[in-house]
Amino acid sequence: MKNKLLAALWTAALGSTSVWAQGMWFPHEVAGRKADMKAVGMKMSTSAIYSSEGGGLNESVVHFGGFCTGEVISSKGLVLTNHHCGYDAIQSHSSIEDNLLEHGFWAKSYAEEKPNPGLFVDFVLRTEDVTLAVQSLIAKGQEPGEAMKDVAAAQPKPDASWIHNVKPIFAGNRYVLTSARRYPDVRLVGAPPSAVGKYGSDTDNWVWPRHTGDFSLFRVYTAPDGSPAEYSSSNVPMNVAKPLAISLRGVEEGDFTLIYGFPGRTDSYMPVSEVQQQLKTMLPTRVAMRHEVLRTWDSAMRVDPMVKIQYASKYASVANGWKKWIGQIEGMAEVSGVDTLAAREARVAAFSPQGLAVIQRFGEQNDALMDARWTALYYQELIPRWELATWSRLTSAYLKAVAMGDNLDKPRAALRELYKDWNPELDRRAAQRLIAAWNANSEVEHAESDLLSFTDPKVSGSVPALPADGASWEAFDAAAKSHPALGLSANLREEYSALMGELSAAETEYQSGMKDWMAVQLAYAASTNKQIAADANSTLRVAYGRAGGFSPTDGMRYTTHTTADGVLAKYRPGDYEFDLPEAYRTKLEAKDYGPYTLSNGELPVCFLAANHTSGGNSGSPAFNDRGELIGLNFDRVWEGTMSDFYFTPQRCRNIMVDIRYVLWVVDRYAGADRLIQEMNIVR
Ligand code: ARG
Ligand code: GLU
């Protein structure tokens, strides 16, 4: 009784800005959010967003290749996603003679649209809480993993395209089913030049003000009868009964916005002792190690154009996490986020006796696990970066295939892929610095083997070259077999898995504590009549919040939109991040904006809103209060990246490309009239 009263008082005191006010909601939970969504300004019915009967916006949202989000924007299956999501596909169709990345690409007919083997989109048509079904199997003695599989397997499967998946949420206190259909024929339709789609590149990544036209276009194809099918020349563009409406009205500061997509991971309920471990040790160590790699690569990329080409994409992906984590560490400090989380934790823990006990245990466990986790992190940052270790792994696999008399096409292709973008001397220097950085920082005993001996120039300098196309591999095989680095990967992996083996029992115990702790948090939330959202886990979610900027620091304010003038202001001829093709600049300078303007006549480029998003939300549609498409999510502001631990609408913003900029590029720059024609554009 006393606890309930206390909880009620806290809720009243915190109001709707409590640390639990935001979240990523499952489609089937949206109906329960109606009052809050209306209060933020939503004008549509919640069944327009999702209904178990069908007909919701979810039917236009796709999991793009399993790593990004996309949306269907025409009656002919046209899919909009980010440029950085379509990047690999665009790159795979690019060559020196026909460089789609550099020049952009606009298919002039269906026949010119380019197939992408392996690429698929999933439409999530149903989500449902199946906690009771899973728990009843567990009660009968099944392991949770088996129980989840069985519940998924019991769902109707009208044809092979259906994929049912049951995942745990709230640390295994509940379970959710998602039912999707997979379409495996997805073709490239259009992309702006990289200069536009990646404008600002790493310098502007995670940054506002932003001027990136981060979009690309694909199309879903089906069998002639409309069913999902593998690529075939007889496939036809997907026929969409109810295509999204695309609005030219845009949004102003304070307006309702909604994001639909597939965020990958958040840690909103992490024990504070672990959050502190992340912020004080794990993330700074990752940042320091990546810093070494990035500065090594950067100095070589600046002087050698070949290295620039080889390492640009690797650089972007290593820098992406590096910059985000720096933002998280600083952002949490700036808003005293740990204090806020600690206050919440104390409140919730006091709610039940188990709560206090489990929180105290977490503190001790996190201390005890610290060294081993830290050491594991060293391997996690080193193994994927060190290309000599990748060489060792691929070469061992290849030599094994040789010995077994297996088909050698795939292992050989994998080696060619590695060699294409590998500079062994640069890789050696990066590895040397990584290992040195670790040794300097760590008080922890690590690798038994002397890893530094593998960074001897004699080792990297003697890696055998690959034979020319069609030539014999004999010399390579012989040299590889006796190369000192051949065993490197196996060594590293063995050490790493031994370490993980030691850790595993302790981590399992930690996770079972997490389940108890989450149960307390759920009970607390229920006692305050508060619905709380599960952490992201790559399932379809809805986030909503108001459009608008914020004040990142005293005396300064970010506006809601950026405009084309800002694109031109950042232009730096010859710079690899801020150059623009002349034809593009000329078009922008002509200010022929057509119907795609803000009310002041400017061409909008990007805009901000306080939606809770994360990695995986790239390519997510942004909708207005009526469910019309107004933008394309692609990033968050650096100051608010701590939203993965602690979301606050004061500071956390997602960044979207304004749909009017997308349309201006497609229409006025590319002149791709046939694409504009098939869209349902409303005023
Ligand atoms: N920060 C965005 C995301 O996390 C964009 C990344 C791609 N762009 C880049 N410059 N690396 O995916
Ligand atoms: N760029 C991210 C992605 O690829 C989205 C940004 C974020 O982490 O919020 O999913």
Side-chain angles (χ1 to χ4, degrees), residues 319-445:
N320 195 39
W322 169 79
K323 198 165 178 182
K324 176 178 71 177
W325 294 324
I326 297 174
Q328 290 179 336
I329 296 164
E330 292 195 10
M332 282 299 265
E334 196 68 35
V335 298
S336 305
V338 170
D339 295 346
T340 309
L341 293 181
R344 178 187 75 184
E345 183 171 280
R347 221 154 54 225
V348 179
F351 183 68
S352 89
Q354 306 116 277
L356 280 175
V358 78
I359 280 304
Q360 193 182 350
R361 210 166 69 226
F362 281 139
E364 293 157 9
Q365 286 174 323
N366 277 313
D367 284 348
L369 286 170
M370 167 85 171
D371 288 356
R373 281 181 181 165
W374 199 9
T375 310
L377 185 151
Y378 167 59
Y379 290 99
Q380 289 156 13
E381 284 296 320
L382 178 68
I383 295 176
R385 285 313 96 68
W386 198 359
E387 292 168 294
L388 185 67
T390 309
W391 176 84
S392 146
R393 177 169 55 84
L394 297 178
T395 305
S396 305
Y398 160 69
L399 291 174
K400 197 168 153 205
V402 172
M404 306 288 284
D406 291 347
N407 184 308
L408 300 176
D409 292 352
K410 273 202 179 148
R412 283 179 174 167
L415 276 167
R416 290 214 182 276
E417 195 57 34
L418 170 73
Y419 272 70
K420 184 163 71 72
D421 292 335
W422 178 28
N423 180 317
E425 168 55 18
L426 182 60
D427 176 49
R428 180 190 75 75
R429 290 209 305 270
Q432 200 170 39
R433 280 192 173 153
L434 271 179
I435 295 165
W438 174 263
N439 284 336
N441 286 324
S442 166
E443 294 150 20
V444 180
E445 284 297 319

Side-chain angles (χ1 to χ4, degrees), residues 166-394:
V166 175
K167 285 192 172 182
I169 56 169
F170 295 124
N173 283 280
R174 291 189 198 156
Y175 299 89
V176 167
L177 165 75
T178 60
S179 299
R181 288 190 88 182
R182 175 163 298 181
Y183 288 71
D185 186 355
V186 181
R187 304 188 194 173
L188 177 64
V189 173
S194 287
V196 175
K198 268 191 79 163
Y199 195 56
S201 199
D202 292 312
T203 297
D204 269 11
N205 192 23
W206 301 113
V207 165
W208 190 261
R210 190 63 157 274
H211 297 89
T212 313
D214 196 346
F215 80 94
S216 59
L217 291 164
F218 288 78
R219 191 187 304 282
V220 184
Y221 280 72
T222 67
D225 68 359
S227 60
E230 292 291 340
Y231 171 80
S232 156
S233 56
S234 61
N235 282 355
V236 298
M238 181 179 194
N239 184 21
V240 179
K242 210 182 103 189
L244 288 179
I246 302 175
S247 171
L248 297 183
R249 283 185 306 128
V251 284
E252 304 286 340
E253 174 140 23
D255 285 351
F256 177 90
T257 59
L258 182 147
I259 299 286
Y260 231 133
F262 295 85
R265 173 172 177 174
T266 53
D267 291 298
S268 325
Y269 305 101
M270 192 180 252
V272 173
S273 52
E274 194 183 352
V275 172
Q276 275 174 316
Q277 188 179 69
Q278 285 292 328
L279 295 172
K280 286 209 179 106
T281 309
M282 301 297 168
L283 296 183
T285 303
R286 280 186 186 264
V287 166
M289 291 185 69
R290 290 195 175 199
H291 178 76
E292 294 302 320
V293 177
L294 292 171
R295 79 187 176 107
T296 311
W297 287 351
D298 181 69
S299 57
M301 285 163 70
R302 280 184 192 281
V303 295
D304 186 339
M306 179 64 188
V307 171
K308 173 83 195 67
I309 294 173
Q310 290 178 314
Y311 283 78
S313 167
K314 288 180 259 197
Y315 188 97
S317 87
V318 173
N320 195 39
W322 169 79
K323 198 165 178 182
K324 176 178 71 177
W325 294 324
I326 297 174
Q328 290 179 336
I329 296 164
E330 292 195 10
M332 282 299 265
E334 196 68 35
V335 298
S336 305
V338 170
D339 295 346
T340 309
L341 293 181
R344 178 187 75 184
E345 183 171 280
R347 221 154 54 225
V348 179
F351 183 68
S352 89
Q354 306 116 277
L356 280 175
V358 78
I359 280 304
Q360 193 182 350
R361 210 166 69 226
F362 281 139
E364 293 157 9
Q365 286 174 323
N366 277 313
D367 284 348
L369 286 170
M370 167 85 171
D371 288 356
R373 281 181 181 165
W374 199 9
T375 310
L377 185 151
Y378 167 59
Y379 290 99
Q380 289 156 13
E381 284 296 320
L382 178 68
I383 295 176
R385 285 313 96 68
W386 198 359
E387 292 168 294
L388 185 67
T390 309
W391 176 84
S392 146
R393 177 169 55 84
L394 297 178

